[in-house]
Amino acid sequence: MALRIVVVGDELVAGAGDPKALGWVGRVVARTIAPEPPVVVTLAMPAETSTELSTRWETEAMSRFDPDSDNRLVVALGRADITAGLSLARSRLNLANVLDVAAHRRIPAFVVGPPPGPPEDNLRLSELSAALADVADRRRVPYVETFAPLVAHDQWLADLAAGDGRLPGQAGYGLIAWLVLHTGWHAWLGLPSDAD
């Protein structure tokens, strides 16, 4: 059965700031070897909070799924909850709602957490990532921790510094893609891995 993957999230899903215009999604898809190439649809909304994502994802994703395909949902949460001042409880509830609706609709989900950003946000981002990971874990949904592996990573920090301090470039998106590929991506899709 053909794979159809819908990826919802903010500007990081769209690969904003990547001179190659691949972002992490394009790099992951390029390494996803399936009997039939997957159809991957990115539904990016810049600066979107988890509240905004939780209200739009179902309508937008369901219209792109195919009843004859193996439909999958990737929820890629960014940093906007911090900027908007959302509480951890609200962020947790928003993700829980998305995952619960996906489960009810029998759509397997996969969550990619927020990466590090400007240093002044990193304490709150660390707490947010841990809270989101807990929500995913309680529902047995794979969660890719991007914050902890990248917060002190020289290449990530250099990539942010070379840009606007918020968006990664080629190297940063490559690091996120590596984390996704090595945190259960192929197993989630039921495919052999060439990334290990």
Side-chain angles (χ1 to χ4, degrees):
M1 186 178 286
L3 274 169
R4 182 164 293 210
I5 304 168
V6 170
V7 186
V8 293
D10 65 3
E11 62 273 6
L12 294 170
V13 165
D18 182 0
K20 295 251 186 218
L22 292 171
W24 67 263
V25 176
R27 287 171 171 82
V28 167
V29 172
R31 297 288 303 273
T32 303
I33 310 303
E36 187 178 326
V39 173
V40 179
V41 180
T42 55
L43 301 175
M45 183 65 69
E48 180 174 62
T49 66
S50 63
T51 301
E52 294 162 332
L53 184 148
S54 71
T55 59
R56 79 167 170 102
W57 83 269
E58 188 177 5
T59 302
E60 293 190 24
M62 294 311 295
S63 68
R64 287 156 175 95
F65 286 139
D66 175 12
D68 298 322
S69 295
D70 178 1
N71 297 303
R72 305 288 178 125
L73 176 69
V74 176
V75 182
L77 299 159
R79 311 179 196 113
D81 283 12
I82 301 299
T83 312
L86 264 63
S87 68
L88 284 180
R90 173 52 59 190
S91 298
R92 288 177 61 97
L93 181 61
N94 290 334
L95 177 58
N97 287 340
V98 171
L99 298 181
D100 291 347
V101 170
H104 177 73
R105 289 185 169 271
R106 300 186 188 280
I107 300 166
F110 187 94
V111 181
V112 179
E120 63 271 18
D121 292 342
N122 282 341
L123 176 59
R124 289 178 298 161
L125 278 168
S126 174
E127 294 169 346
L128 176 62
S129 185
L132 298 173
D134 182 60
V135 170
D137 185 59
R138 288 172 186 264
R139 287 159 178 77
R140 295 182 174 84
V141 170
Y143 182 85
V144 179
E145 169 65 54
T146 64
F147 180 83
L150 298 179
V151 69
H153 194 288
D154 290 342
Q155 198 173 17
W156 174 264
L157 296 172
D159 214 35
L160 285 185
D164 65 359
R166 299 192 62 79
L167 292 172
Q170 223 174 301
Y173 281 115
L175 290 167
I176 295 174
W178 190 93
L179 290 168
V180 170
L181 288 165
H182 289 82
T183 312
W185 175 257
H186 290 90
W188 177 65
L189 294 174
L191 298 172
S193 172
D194 72 338
D196 295 326

